[in-house]
């Protein structure tokens, strides 16, 4: 029974790849390298332009920006839960993390758009949706994920390692930060990669607050349009079988390949560290 369930999952994954690749091929053959070299995405113009360079750059820039925000905060929370928090503090913080992870993304997007966007406008933002606002939203969404994974990585280290360091005169912080964290490095790196993978695939928040402009940003106030936002906003409006339709599947294929590569890197990091 377990084997059958596992095979169903594998077949579903293979079917997903086949489905996306099949519908992406027409755009890849008709448009060609322009998809990856042009930054002009005007699929409804005559003649249409299907350049995704700006949206690919937006996806990477936004993911990197959000990761810079959330990964250090996630580690600090995880380290505090592991080494300093009392049982009561752990229950409160973990309950808050669980609650945050359960909030619908559309609620977070609405909160950012209604309350945070006007504040950013007072600090120099010229668009209600922008790179910074989207990065804040992605950070909020991925923080529970990052903190939980890193806390699990730290907790997986044998407690005797920390006790030995304390017995040799190391401070509590040194034992946790330099000894335990080093021992848990593979798990922490794995957590970082999985968090990045989570961020790059998020859709609703970036659709609501990123600004929707397919341009390469020059500042944190510029609007952006990641690949996920383009797919979500346009897929329901294009004729099935058109080049525009196929180009959106090409965007999905790019995201799928990025996710696949990140997953493989994560597995490689885990295996190499264990060996």
């Amino acid at each position: 029974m377990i084997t059958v369930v596992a095979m169903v999952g594998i077949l579903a994954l293979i079917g997903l790849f086949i489905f996306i690749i099949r519908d992406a091929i027409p755009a890849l053959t008709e448009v060609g390298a322009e998809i990856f070299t042009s930054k002009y995405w005007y699929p409804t113009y005559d003649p249409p332009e299907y350049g995704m360079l700006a949206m690919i750059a937006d996806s990477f820039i936004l993911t990197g920006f959000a990761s810079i925000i959330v990964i250090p905060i996630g580690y600090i929370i995880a380290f505090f839960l592991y080494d300093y928090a009392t049982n009561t503090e752990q229950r409160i913080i973990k309950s808050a993390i669980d609650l945050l992870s359960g909030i619908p993304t559309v609620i977070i997007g609405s909160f950012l758009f209604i309350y945070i966007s006007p504040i950013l406008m007072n600090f120099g933002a010229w668009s209600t949706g922008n790179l910074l606002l989207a990065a804040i939203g992605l950070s909020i969404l991925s923080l529970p994920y990052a903190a939980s994974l890193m806390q699990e990585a730290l907790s997986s280290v044998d407690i005797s390692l920390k006790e030995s360091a304390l017995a040799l005169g190391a401070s509590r912080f040194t034992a946790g930060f330099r000894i335990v964290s080093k021992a848990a490095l593979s798990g922490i790196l794995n957590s970082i990669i999985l968090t990045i993978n989570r961020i790059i695939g998020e859709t609703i928040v970036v659709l609501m607050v990123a600004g929707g402009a397919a341009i390469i940003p020059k500042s944190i106030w510029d609007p952006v349009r990641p690949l996920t936002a383009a797919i979500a906003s346009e897929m329901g409006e294009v004729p099935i079988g058109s080049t525009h339709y196929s180009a959106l599947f090409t965007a999905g294929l790019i995201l799928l390949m990025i996710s696949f590569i990140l997953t493989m890197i994560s597995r490689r990091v885990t295996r190499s560290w264990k060996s």
Side-chain angles (χ1 to χ4, degrees), residues 75 82 153-159 161-162 175-189 273-274:
Y75 175 77
Y82 170 78
L154 292 172
S155 299
S156 67
V157 177
D158 193 339
I159 190 65
L161 189 64
K162 177 183 175 183
F177 184 72
R178 302 191 63 179
I179 306 300
V180 176
S181 293
K182 184 177 180 179
L185 186 58
S186 66
I188 293 173
L189 291 175
W273 194 267
K274 286 182 179 179

Side-chain angles (χ1 to χ4, degrees), residues 177-231:
F177 184 72
R178 302 191 63 179
I179 306 300
V180 176
S181 293
K182 184 177 180 179
L185 186 58
S186 66
I188 293 173
L189 291 175
N190 191 45
S191 303
I192 291 172
I193 295 170
L194 292 176
T195 300
I196 293 172
N197 206 356
R198 169 76 172 81
I199 292 171
I200 201 167
E202 177 54 44
T203 303
I204 297 300
V205 164
V206 295
L207 181 62
M208 296 179 67
V209 303
I215 60 174
I216 298 177
K218 297 180 180 179
S219 76
I220 59 175
W221 307 123
D222 287 343
V224 292
R225 186 182 181 88
L227 292 169
T228 51
I231 296 170

Side-chain angles (χ1 to χ4, degrees), residues 71-97 143 146-155 162 172-173 175-177 180-181 188:
I71 289 172
I73 297 175
Y75 175 77
I76 291 170
I77 293 174
F79 187 77
F80 177 77
L81 288 172
Y82 170 78
D83 212 14
Y84 289 94
T86 63
N87 291 334
T88 301
E89 291 170 338
Q90 285 187 11
R91 285 196 299 270
I92 293 173
I93 295 174
K94 287 184 178 180
S95 297
I97 289 174
L143 180 59
S148 297
L149 289 175
M150 290 185 185
Q151 201 263 336
E152 289 178 9
L154 292 172
S155 299
K162 177 183 175 183
R172 187 177 181 180
F173 176 81
F177 184 72
V180 176
S181 293
I188 293 173

Side-chain angles (χ1 to χ4, degrees), residues 34-35 38 41 50-57 227 247-248 250-251 254:
E34 178 189 339
I35 291 177
S38 173
W41 174 257
Y50 297 103
M52 295 186 189
L53 180 60
M55 294 191 293
I56 295 171
L227 292 169
L248 293 176
T250 302
I254 293 170

Side-chain angles (χ1 to χ4, degrees), residues 40-54:
Y40 300 110
W41 174 257
Y42 300 115
T44 59
Y45 279 26
D46 187 18
E49 297 187 67
Y50 297 103
M52 295 186 189
L53 180 60

